[in-house]
Coordinates of all heavy atoms in Angstrom, one line a residue:
M1 N -0.4 2.2 12.6 CA -1.1 1.8 11.4 C -1.2 0.2 11.5 O -0.2 -0.4 11.9 CB -0.5 2.3 10.2 CG -1.3 1.9 8.9 SD -0.7 2.5 7.4 CE 0.4 3.8 7.7
H2 N -2.3 -0.3 11.0 CA -2.5 -1.7 11.0 C -2.5 -2.2 9.5 O -2.9 -1.4 8.7 CB -3.7 -2.1 11.7 CG -3.7 -1.7 13.2 ND1 -3.0 -2.4 14.1 CD2 -4.3 -0.7 13.8 CE1 -3.1 -1.8 15.3 NE2 -4.0 -0.8 15.1
H3 N -2.2 -3.4 9.3 CA -2.3 -3.9 7.9 C -2.8 -5.4 7.9 O -2.7 -6.0 9.0 CB -0.9 -3.9 7.3 CG 0.0 -4.9 7.9 ND1 0.7 -4.7 9.0 CD2 0.4 -6.1 7.4 CE1 1.5 -5.7 9.3 NE2 1.3 -6.6 8.4
Q4 N -3.3 -5.8 6.8 CA -3.8 -7.2 6.6 C -3.5 -7.5 5.2 O -3.9 -6.7 4.3 CB -5.2 -7.3 7.0 CG -5.7 -8.8 6.8 CD -7.2 -8.9 7.1 OE1 -7.9 -8.0 7.4 NE2 -7.6 -10.2 7.1
S5 N -2.8 -8.6 5.0 CA -2.6 -9.1 3.6 C -3.4 -10.3 3.3 O -3.4 -11.3 4.1 CB -1.1 -9.4 3.5 OG -0.3 -8.3 3.7
T6 N -4.1 -10.3 2.2 CA -4.8 -11.5 1.7 C -4.6 -11.6 0.2 O -4.0 -10.7 -0.4 CB -6.3 -11.3 2.0 OG1 -6.8 -10.1 1.4 CG2 -6.6 -11.3 3.5
Y7 N -5.1 -12.7 -0.3 CA -5.0 -12.8 -1.8 C -6.5 -12.9 -2.3 O -7.4 -13.6 -1.7 CB -4.2 -14.1 -2.1 CG -2.7 -13.9 -1.9 CD1 -2.2 -14.2 -0.7 CD2 -2.0 -13.4 -3.0 CE1 -0.8 -14.0 -0.6 CE2 -0.6 -13.3 -2.8 CZ 0.0 -13.6 -1.6 OH 1.3 -13.3 -1.4
S8 N -6.7 -12.3 -3.5 CA -8.0 -12.3 -4.1 C -8.2 -13.6 -4.8 O -7.2 -14.4 -4.9 CB -8.1 -11.1 -5.1 OG -7.2 -11.3 -6.2
T9 N -9.4 -13.9 -5.3 CA -9.6 -15.1 -6.0 C -8.8 -15.3 -7.2 O -8.5 -16.5 -7.6 CB -11.1 -15.2 -6.4 OG1 -11.5 -14.1 -7.2 CG2 -12.0 -15.3 -5.1
N10 N -8.3 -14.2 -7.8 CA -7.5 -14.4 -9.1 C -6.0 -14.4 -8.7 O -5.2 -14.3 -9.6 CB -7.8 -13.3 -10.1 CG -7.5 -11.9 -9.6 OD1 -7.2 -11.7 -8.5 ND2 -7.7 -11.0 -10.6
G11 N -5.7 -14.4 -7.4 CA -4.3 -14.5 -7.0 C -3.5 -13.2 -6.7 O -2.3 -13.2 -6.4
D12 N -4.2 -12.1 -6.9 CA -3.6 -10.8 -6.5 C -3.4 -10.6 -5.1 O -4.3 -10.9 -4.3 CB -4.3 -9.6 -7.2 CG -4.3 -9.7 -8.7 OD1 -3.4 -10.2 -9.3 OD2 -5.3 -9.1 -9.3
L13 N -2.4 -10.0 -4.6 CA -2.2 -9.6 -3.2 C -3.0 -8.4 -2.9 O -3.0 -7.4 -3.6 CB -0.7 -9.3 -2.9 CG -0.5 -8.8 -1.5 CD1 -0.7 -9.9 -0.5 CD2 0.9 -8.2 -1.4
V14 N -3.8 -8.5 -1.8 CA -4.6 -7.3 -1.4 C -4.0 -6.9 0.0 O -4.0 -7.7 1.0 CB -6.1 -7.7 -1.2 CG1 -6.8 -6.5 -0.7 CG2 -6.6 -8.2 -2.5
L15 N -3.4 -5.7 0.0 CA -2.9 -5.1 1.2 C -3.8 -4.1 1.8 O -4.1 -3.0 1.1 CB -1.5 -4.5 1.0 CG -0.9 -3.8 2.2 CD1 -0.6 -4.8 3.4 CD2 0.4 -3.1 1.8
S16 N -4.5 -4.4 2.9 CA -5.5 -3.5 3.5 C -4.8 -2.7 4.6 O -4.3 -3.4 5.5 CB -6.7 -4.3 4.0 OG -7.3 -4.9 2.9
L17 N -4.9 -1.4 4.6 CA -4.3 -0.6 5.6 C -5.4 0.1 6.4 O -6.4 0.4 5.9 CB -3.4 0.4 5.0 CG -2.2 -0.1 4.2 CD1 -1.4 1.0 3.6 CD2 -1.3 -1.0 5.1
S18 N -5.1 0.3 7.7 CA -6.0 1.1 8.5 C -5.2 2.0 9.5 O -4.1 1.7 9.8 CB -7.0 0.2 9.3 OG -6.2 -0.6 10.2
G19 N -5.8 3.2 9.8 CA -5.1 4.1 10.7 C -4.7 5.4 9.9 O -5.5 5.8 9.0
E20 N -3.6 5.9 10.2 CA -3.2 7.2 9.6 C -1.8 6.9 8.8 O -0.9 6.4 9.4 CB -3.0 8.3 10.6 CG -4.3 8.7 11.3 CD -4.1 9.9 12.2 OE1 -3.0 10.3 12.4 OE2 -5.2 10.4 12.6
M21 N -1.8 7.4 7.6 CA -0.5 7.2 6.8 C 0.3 8.5 7.0 O 0.4 9.3 6.1 CB -0.9 7.0 5.3 CG -1.4 5.6 5.1 SD -1.5 5.2 3.3 CE 0.2 4.9 2.9
D22 N 0.8 8.7 8.2 CA 1.7 9.8 8.5 C 3.1 9.2 8.7 O 3.3 8.0 8.5 CB 1.2 10.6 9.7 CG 1.0 9.7 11.0 OD1 1.4 8.5 11.0 OD2 0.4 10.2 11.9
A23 N 4.0 10.0 9.2 CA 5.4 9.5 9.4 C 5.4 8.3 10.3 O 6.1 7.3 10.0 CB 6.3 10.7 9.9
H24 N 4.7 8.4 11.4 CA 4.8 7.3 12.4 C 4.1 6.1 11.8 O 4.7 5.0 11.9 CB 4.0 7.8 13.7 CG 3.9 6.7 14.7 ND1 5.0 6.3 15.4 CD2 2.9 6.0 15.2 CE1 4.6 5.4 16.2 NE2 3.3 5.2 16.1
G25 N 3.0 6.2 11.2 CA 2.3 5.1 10.6 C 3.1 4.4 9.5 O 3.2 3.2 9.4
C26 N 3.7 5.2 8.6 CA 4.4 4.6 7.5 C 5.7 3.9 8.0 O 6.1 2.9 7.4 CB 4.8 5.7 6.5 SG 3.3 6.3 5.6
N27 N 6.3 4.5 9.1 CA 7.4 3.8 9.7 C 7.1 2.4 10.2 O 7.9 1.5 10.1 CB 8.0 4.6 10.8 CG 9.4 4.2 11.3 OD1 10.2 3.8 10.5 ND2 9.6 4.2 12.5
Q28 N 5.8 2.2 10.7 CA 5.4 1.0 11.2 C 5.2 -0.1 10.1 O 5.3 -1.3 10.3 CB 4.1 1.1 11.9 CG 4.1 1.9 13.2 CD 2.8 2.1 13.8 OE1 1.8 2.3 13.1 NE2 2.7 2.2 15.2
I29 N 4.9 0.4 8.8 CA 4.6 -0.6 7.8 C 5.8 -0.7 6.8 O 5.7 -1.4 5.8 CB 3.3 -0.3 7.0 CG1 3.4 1.1 6.3 CG2 2.1 -0.4 7.9 CD1 2.4 1.3 5.2
K30 N 6.9 0.0 7.0 CA 8.0 0.0 6.1 C 8.5 -1.4 5.8 O 8.7 -1.7 4.7 CB 9.1 0.9 6.7 CG 10.3 1.0 5.8 CD 11.4 1.9 6.5 CE 12.6 2.1 5.5 NZ 13.5 3.0 6.1
S31 N 8.6 -2.2 6.8 CA 9.2 -3.6 6.6 C 8.2 -4.4 5.8 O 8.5 -5.3 5.0 CB 9.5 -4.2 8.0 OG 8.3 -4.4 8.7
I32 N 6.9 -4.1 6.0 CA 5.8 -4.8 5.2 C 6.0 -4.5 3.7 O 5.9 -5.4 2.9 CB 4.4 -4.5 5.7 CG1 4.3 -4.9 7.2 CG2 3.3 -5.1 4.8 CD1 4.6 -6.3 7.5
L33 N 6.1 -3.2 3.4 CA 6.3 -2.8 2.0 C 7.6 -3.4 1.4 O 7.5 -3.9 0.3 CB 6.4 -1.2 2.0 CG 5.1 -0.5 2.4 CD1 5.3 1.0 2.3 CD2 3.9 -1.0 1.7
E34 N 8.6 -3.4 2.2 CA 9.9 -4.1 1.7 C 9.6 -5.6 1.4 O 10.1 -6.1 0.4 CB 11.0 -3.9 2.7 CG 11.6 -2.6 2.8 CD 12.5 -2.3 1.6 OE1 13.0 -3.2 0.9 OE2 12.6 -1.1 1.3
E35 N 8.9 -6.2 2.3 CA 8.6 -7.7 2.1 C 7.8 -7.9 0.8 O 8.1 -8.8 0.1 CB 7.9 -8.2 3.3 CG 7.7 -9.7 3.2 CD 6.9 -10.2 4.4 OE1 7.1 -9.6 5.5 OE2 6.2 -11.2 4.3
I36 N 6.8 -7.0 0.6 CA 6.0 -7.2 -0.6 C 6.9 -7.0 -1.8 O 6.8 -7.8 -2.8 CB 4.9 -6.1 -0.6 CG1 3.8 -6.5 0.5 CG2 4.2 -6.0 -1.9 CD1 2.8 -5.4 0.7
V37 N 7.7 -6.0 -1.9 CA 8.6 -5.7 -3.0 C 9.5 -6.9 -3.3 O 9.7 -7.3 -4.4 CB 9.3 -4.4 -2.9 CG1 10.4 -4.3 -3.9 CG2 8.3 -3.2 -2.9
N38 N 10.0 -7.4 -2.2 CA 11.1 -8.5 -2.3 C 10.5 -9.9 -2.5 O 11.3 -10.7 -3.0 CB 12.0 -8.4 -1.1 CG 12.8 -7.2 -1.1 OD1 13.2 -6.6 -2.1 ND2 13.1 -6.7 0.1
S39 N 9.2 -10.1 -2.2 CA 8.9 -11.5 -2.2 C 7.6 -11.8 -3.0 O 7.3 -12.9 -3.4 CB 8.7 -12.1 -0.8 OG 7.7 -11.4 -0.1
V40 N 6.7 -10.8 -3.2 CA 5.4 -11.1 -3.8 C 5.6 -11.2 -5.4 O 6.2 -10.3 -5.9 CB 4.4 -10.0 -3.5 CG1 3.2 -10.1 -4.3 CG2 4.1 -10.1 -2.0
Q41 N 5.1 -12.2 -5.9 CA 5.3 -12.4 -7.4 C 4.0 -12.3 -8.2 O 3.9 -12.7 -9.3 CB 5.9 -13.8 -7.6 CG 7.2 -14.1 -6.9 CD 8.3 -13.1 -7.5 OE1 8.4 -12.8 -8.7 NE2 9.0 -12.5 -6.6
T42 N 2.9 -11.8 -7.5 CA 1.7 -11.6 -8.3 C 1.8 -10.4 -9.2 O 2.6 -9.5 -9.0 CB 0.5 -11.3 -7.3 OG1 0.7 -10.1 -6.6 CG2 0.4 -12.4 -6.3
P43 N 1.0 -10.5 -10.4 CA 1.1 -9.4 -11.3 C 0.5 -8.1 -10.8 O 1.0 -7.0 -11.2 CB 0.3 -9.9 -12.5 CG -0.5 -11.1 -12.1 CD 0.2 -11.6 -10.8
N44 N -0.4 -8.2 -9.8 CA -1.1 -7.0 -9.3 C -1.0 -7.0 -7.8 O -1.2 -8.0 -7.1 CB -2.5 -6.9 -9.7 CG -2.7 -6.8 -11.2 OD1 -2.1 -6.0 -11.8 ND2 -3.5 -7.7 -11.7
V45 N -0.7 -5.8 -7.2 CA -0.8 -5.6 -5.7 C -1.9 -4.5 -5.6 O -1.8 -3.4 -6.2 CB 0.5 -5.1 -5.1 CG1 0.3 -4.8 -3.7 CG2 1.6 -6.2 -5.3
L46 N -3.0 -4.9 -4.8 CA -4.1 -4.0 -4.6 C -3.9 -3.4 -3.2 O -3.8 -4.1 -2.2 CB -5.4 -4.8 -4.6 CG -5.7 -5.4 -6.0 CD1 -6.4 -6.8 -5.8 CD2 -6.5 -4.5 -6.8
L47 N -3.8 -2.1 -3.2 CA -3.6 -1.3 -1.9 C -5.0 -0.8 -1.5 O -5.5 0.2 -2.2 CB -2.6 -0.2 -2.1 CG -2.3 0.6 -0.9 CD1 -1.7 -0.3 0.2 CD2 -1.3 1.7 -1.3
D48 N -5.6 -1.3 -0.5 CA -6.9 -0.9 0.0 C -6.8 0.1 1.1 O -6.3 -0.2 2.1 CB -7.7 -2.2 0.4 CG -9.2 -1.9 0.8 OD1 -9.5 -0.7 0.8 OD2 -9.9 -2.8 1.0
L49 N -7.3 1.3 0.8 CA -7.1 2.4 1.7 C -8.5 2.8 2.3 O -8.7 3.9 2.8 CB -6.5 3.7 1.0 CG -5.1 3.4 0.4 CD1 -4.7 4.7 -0.2 CD2 -4.2 2.9 1.5
N50 N -9.4 1.9 2.3 CA -10.8 2.2 2.7 C -10.8 2.6 4.2 O -11.6 3.4 4.6 CB -11.7 0.9 2.6 CG -13.1 1.3 2.8 OD1 -13.7 2.2 2.2 ND2 -13.8 0.5 3.7
D51 N -9.9 2.1 5.0 CA -9.9 2.4 6.5 C -8.8 3.4 6.8 O -8.4 3.5 7.9 CB -9.7 1.2 7.3 CG -10.9 0.2 7.2 OD1 -12.0 0.8 7.1 OD2 -10.7 -1.0 7.2
I52 N -8.3 4.2 5.8 CA -7.3 5.2 6.0 C -8.1 6.5 6.1 O -8.8 6.9 5.1 CB -6.2 5.3 4.9 CG1 -5.4 4.0 5.0 CG2 -5.4 6.5 5.1 CD1 -4.5 3.9 6.2
E53 N -8.0 7.3 7.2 CA -8.7 8.5 7.4 C -7.8 9.7 7.1 O -8.3 10.8 6.8 CB -9.3 8.6 8.8 CG -10.3 7.5 9.1 CD -11.5 7.6 8.2 OE1 -11.9 8.7 7.8 OE2 -12.1 6.5 7.8
F54 N -6.5 9.6 7.2 CA -5.6 10.7 7.0 C -4.3 10.2 6.3 O -3.8 9.2 6.6 CB -5.2 11.3 8.4 CG -4.2 12.4 8.3 CD1 -4.5 13.6 8.0 CD2 -2.8 12.1 8.6 CE1 -3.6 14.7 7.9 CE2 -1.9 13.1 8.5 CZ -2.3 14.4 8.2
I55 N -3.8 11.1 5.4 CA -2.6 10.8 4.7 C -1.8 12.1 4.6 O -2.4 13.1 4.4 CB -2.8 10.1 3.4 CG1 -1.6 9.6 2.7 CG2 -3.6 11.0 2.5 CD1 -1.8 8.7 1.5
D56 N -0.5 12.0 4.8 CA 0.3 13.2 4.6 C 1.4 12.9 3.6 O 1.4 11.8 2.9 CB 0.9 13.8 5.9 CG 1.9 12.9 6.6 OD1 2.3 11.9 6.0 OD2 2.2 13.3 7.7
S57 N 2.5 13.7 3.5 CA 3.5 13.5 2.5 C 4.2 12.2 2.7 O 4.7 11.6 1.8 CB 4.5 14.7 2.5 OG 5.1 14.8 3.8
S58 N 4.3 11.7 4.0 CA 5.0 10.4 4.2 C 4.2 9.3 3.6 O 4.8 8.3 3.1 CB 5.1 10.2 5.7 OG 6.0 11.2 6.3
G59 N 2.9 9.4 3.7 CA 2.0 8.4 3.1 C 2.1 8.4 1.6 O 2.2 7.3 1.0
I60 N 2.1 9.6 1.0 CA 2.3 9.7 -0.5 C 3.6 9.1 -0.8 O 3.7 8.3 -1.8 CB 2.2 11.1 -0.9 CG1 0.8 11.7 -0.6 CG2 2.5 11.3 -2.4 CD1 -0.3 11.0 -1.4
G61 N 4.7 9.4 -0.1 CA 6.0 8.8 -0.4 C 6.0 7.3 -0.3 O 6.6 6.7 -1.1
A62 N 5.3 6.7 0.6 CA 5.3 5.3 0.8 C 4.6 4.7 -0.4 O 5.0 3.6 -1.0 CB 4.6 4.9 2.1
I63 N 3.5 5.3 -0.9 CA 2.7 4.8 -2.0 C 3.6 4.9 -3.3 O 3.7 3.9 -4.1 CB 1.4 5.5 -2.2 CG1 0.5 5.2 -1.0 CG2 0.8 5.2 -3.5 CD1 -0.8 6.1 -1.0
V64 N 4.3 6.0 -3.5 CA 5.1 6.2 -4.6 C 6.3 5.2 -4.6 O 6.6 4.6 -5.7 CB 5.7 7.7 -4.7 CG1 6.7 7.8 -5.8 CG2 4.5 8.6 -5.0
Y65 N 6.9 5.0 -3.4 CA 8.0 4.0 -3.3 C 7.5 2.7 -3.7 O 8.1 2.0 -4.5 CB 8.4 4.0 -1.8 CG 9.3 2.8 -1.5 CD1 10.6 2.7 -1.8 CD2 8.7 1.7 -0.9 CE1 11.3 1.6 -1.5 CE2 9.4 0.5 -0.6 CZ 10.8 0.5 -0.9 OH 11.5 -0.6 -0.6
L66 N 6.3 2.2 -3.3 CA 5.8 0.9 -3.6 C 5.5 0.8 -5.1 O 5.9 -0.1 -5.7 CB 4.5 0.6 -2.8 CG 3.9 -0.7 -2.9 CD1 4.8 -1.9 -2.6 CD2 2.6 -0.8 -2.1
F67 N 4.9 1.9 -5.6 CA 4.6 1.9 -7.1 C 5.8 1.8 -7.9 O 5.9 0.9 -8.8 CB 3.9 3.2 -7.4 CG 3.7 3.5 -8.9 CD1 2.8 2.8 -9.6 CD2 4.6 4.4 -9.5 CE1 2.7 3.0 -11.0 CE2 4.5 4.6 -10.9 CZ 3.5 3.9 -11.6
K68 N 6.9 2.5 -7.6 CA 8.1 2.5 -8.5 C 8.8 1.1 -8.4 O 9.3 0.6 -9.4 CB 9.0 3.6 -8.0 CG 8.6 5.0 -8.5 CD 9.6 6.0 -8.1 CE 9.2 7.4 -8.7 NZ 10.2 8.4 -8.4
R69 N 8.9 0.6 -7.2 CA 9.5 -0.7 -7.0 C 8.8 -1.8 -7.7 O 9.4 -2.7 -8.3 CB 9.7 -1.0 -5.5 CG 10.6 -0.1 -4.7 CD 12.1 -0.3 -5.0 NE 12.6 -1.6 -4.8 CZ 13.1 -2.1 -3.6 NH1 13.1 -1.3 -2.6 NH2 13.5 -3.3 -3.5
L70 N 7.4 -1.8 -7.6 CA 6.7 -2.8 -8.3 C 6.8 -2.7 -9.8 O 6.9 -3.6 -10.5 CB 5.2 -2.8 -7.9 CG 4.9 -3.2 -6.4 CD1 3.5 -2.9 -6.0 CD2 5.2 -4.7 -6.2
K71 N 6.7 -1.4 -10.3 CA 6.8 -1.1 -11.7 C 8.1 -1.7 -12.3 O 8.2 -2.2 -13.4 CB 6.6 0.3 -12.0 CG 6.6 0.7 -13.5 CD 6.3 2.1 -13.7 CE 6.3 2.4 -15.2 NZ 6.2 3.9 -15.5
A72 N 9.2 -1.5 -11.6 CA 10.5 -1.9 -12.0 C 10.5 -3.5 -12.1 O 11.3 -4.0 -12.9 CB 11.6 -1.5 -11.0
Q73 N 9.6 -4.1 -11.4 CA 9.5 -5.6 -11.5 C 8.4 -6.0 -12.4 O 8.0 -7.2 -12.4 CB 9.4 -6.2 -10.1 CG 10.5 -5.9 -9.2 CD 10.2 -6.3 -7.8 OE1 11.2 -6.2 -7.0 NE2 9.1 -6.8 -7.4
H74 N 7.8 -5.1 -13.2 CA 6.8 -5.4 -14.1 C 5.5 -5.8 -13.4 O 4.8 -6.7 -13.9 CB 7.2 -6.4 -15.2 CG 8.5 -6.0 -15.9 ND1 8.5 -4.9 -16.8 CD2 9.7 -6.5 -15.8 CE1 9.7 -4.8 -17.2 NE2 10.5 -5.7 -16.6
Q75 N 5.3 -5.3 -12.2 CA 4.1 -5.5 -11.5 C 3.2 -4.2 -11.5 O 3.8 -3.1 -11.7 CB 4.4 -6.0 -10.1 CG 5.0 -7.4 -10.1 CD 5.5 -7.7 -8.6 OE1 6.5 -7.1 -8.2 NE2 4.9 -8.6 -8.0
T76 N 2.0 -4.4 -11.1 CA 1.1 -3.2 -11.1 C 0.6 -2.9 -9.7 O 0.2 -3.9 -9.0 CB -0.1 -3.5 -12.0 OG1 0.4 -3.7 -13.4 CG2 -1.1 -2.3 -12.1
L77 N 0.5 -1.7 -9.3 CA -0.1 -1.3 -8.0 C -1.5 -0.6 -8.4 O -1.6 0.3 -9.2 CB 0.7 -0.2 -7.3 CG 0.2 0.3 -6.0 CD1 0.0 -0.7 -5.0 CD2 1.0 1.5 -5.5
V78 N -2.5 -1.2 -7.7 CA -3.9 -0.7 -7.9 C -4.3 -0.2 -6.5 O -4.2 -0.9 -5.5 CB -4.9 -1.8 -8.4 CG1 -6.3 -1.3 -8.4 CG2 -4.4 -2.4 -9.7
I79 N -4.8 1.1 -6.5 CA -5.2 1.7 -5.2 C -6.8 1.8 -5.3 O -7.3 2.2 -6.2 CB -4.6 3.1 -5.1 CG1 -3.1 3.1 -5.1 CG2 -5.1 3.7 -3.8 CD1 -2.4 4.4 -5.1
R80 N -7.4 1.3 -4.2 CA -8.8 1.3 -4.1 C -9.3 1.7 -2.7 O -8.5 1.7 -1.8 CB -9.4 -0.1 -4.4 CG -9.1 -1.1 -3.5 CD -9.7 -2.4 -3.9 NE -9.6 -3.4 -2.8 CZ -9.8 -4.7 -2.9 NH1 -10.3 -5.2 -4.0 NH2 -9.7 -5.5 -1.9
G81 N -10.5 2.2 -2.7 CA -11.2 2.5 -1.4 C -10.8 3.9 -0.9 O -10.9 4.1 0.3
V82 N -10.2 4.7 -1.7 CA -9.8 6.0 -1.2 C -11.0 7.0 -1.1 O -11.8 7.1 -1.9 CB -8.8 6.7 -2.2 CG1 -8.3 8.0 -1.7 CG2 -7.6 5.7 -2.4
H83 N -11.1 7.6 0.1 CA -12.2 8.6 0.4 C -11.7 9.6 1.3 O -10.6 9.6 1.9 CB -13.3 7.8 1.0 CG -13.0 7.2 2.3 ND1 -13.2 7.8 3.5 CD2 -12.5 5.9 2.6 CE1 -12.7 6.9 4.4 NE2 -12.3 5.9 3.9
G84 N -12.5 10.7 1.5 CA -12.3 11.7 2.5 C -11.0 12.5 2.2 O -10.6 12.8 1.0
Q85 N -10.2 12.8 3.2 CA -9.0 13.6 3.1 C -7.9 13.0 2.2 O -7.4 13.6 1.4 CB -8.4 13.9 4.5 CG -7.2 14.8 4.5 CD -5.9 14.1 4.4 OE1 -5.8 12.8 4.5 NE2 -4.8 14.8 4.1
P86 N -7.8 11.6 2.3 CA -6.8 11.0 1.3 C -7.2 11.2 -0.1 O -6.3 11.5 -1.0 CB -6.8 9.5 1.7 CG -7.2 9.6 3.2 CD -8.2 10.7 3.3
K87 N -8.5 11.2 -0.4 CA -8.9 11.4 -1.8 C -8.7 12.8 -2.3 O -8.3 13.1 -3.4 CB -10.4 11.0 -1.9 CG -10.9 11.0 -3.4 CD -12.3 10.5 -3.5 CE -12.8 10.5 -4.9 NZ -14.1 10.0 -5.1
E88 N -9.0 13.7 -1.3 CA -8.7 15.1 -1.7 C -7.3 15.4 -1.9 O -6.9 16.2 -2.8 CB -9.2 16.0 -0.5 CG -10.7 16.0 -0.4 CD -11.2 16.9 0.8 OE1 -10.4 17.7 1.3 OE2 -12.3 16.7 1.3
L89 N -6.4 14.8 -1.2 CA -5.0 15.0 -1.4 C -4.5 14.4 -2.7 O -3.8 14.9 -3.4 CB -4.2 14.4 -0.2 CG -2.7 14.6 -0.2 CD1 -2.3 16.1 -0.1 CD2 -2.1 13.8 0.9

């Protein structure tokens, strides 16, 4: 899985993912998610899944992990660009 982090014009972190959010892909981005939780101070983190074609329970677990950790720090996770199989799941 590939990732790209940018900031929106209002200062929110945008994390764009591409590939498959399966066990292998999520293992590749685990350190990125940890870094976001531990260092990003923006009120909102936008998770862009536009280029994700497949997601399984590992992907759902990674999203829930990120959501819970950000919520505990009074930050918000916004998911956008979901389509196809990930949207159905």
Side-chain angles (χ1 to χ4, degrees):
M1 182 177 342
H2 300 285
H3 71 280
Q4 180 180 6
S5 298
T6 58
Y7 285 89
S8 67
T9 55
N10 64 352
D12 293 333
L13 175 70
V14 179
L15 176 61
S16 300
L17 300 177
S18 61
E20 296 186 351
M21 288 188 78
D22 56 9
H24 178 70
C26 290
N27 192 41
Q28 291 175 328
I29 63 162
K30 184 177 180 178
S31 63
I32 300 303
L33 299 180
E34 284 289 333
E35 183 180 331
I36 288 170
V37 168
N38 293 326
S39 64
V40 171
Q41 299 300 316
T42 64
N44 300 306
V45 174
L46 300 144
L47 184 60
D48 186 348
L49 301 181
N50 192 52
D51 293 327
I52 295 292
E53 298 297 326
F54 176 79
I55 189 169
D56 67 7
S57 60
S58 297
I60 297 296
I63 293 169
V64 169
Y65 165 80
L66 184 58
F67 169 77
K68 286 183 175 184
R69 296 284 304 270
L70 291 171
K71 185 177 179 183
Q73 297 174 174
H74 307 289
Q75 293 170 289
T76 302
L77 177 65
V78 177
I79 301 172
R80 68 180 188 188
V82 182
H83 61 90
Q85 186 268 347
K87 185 175 182 179
E88 290 177 19
L89 186 61

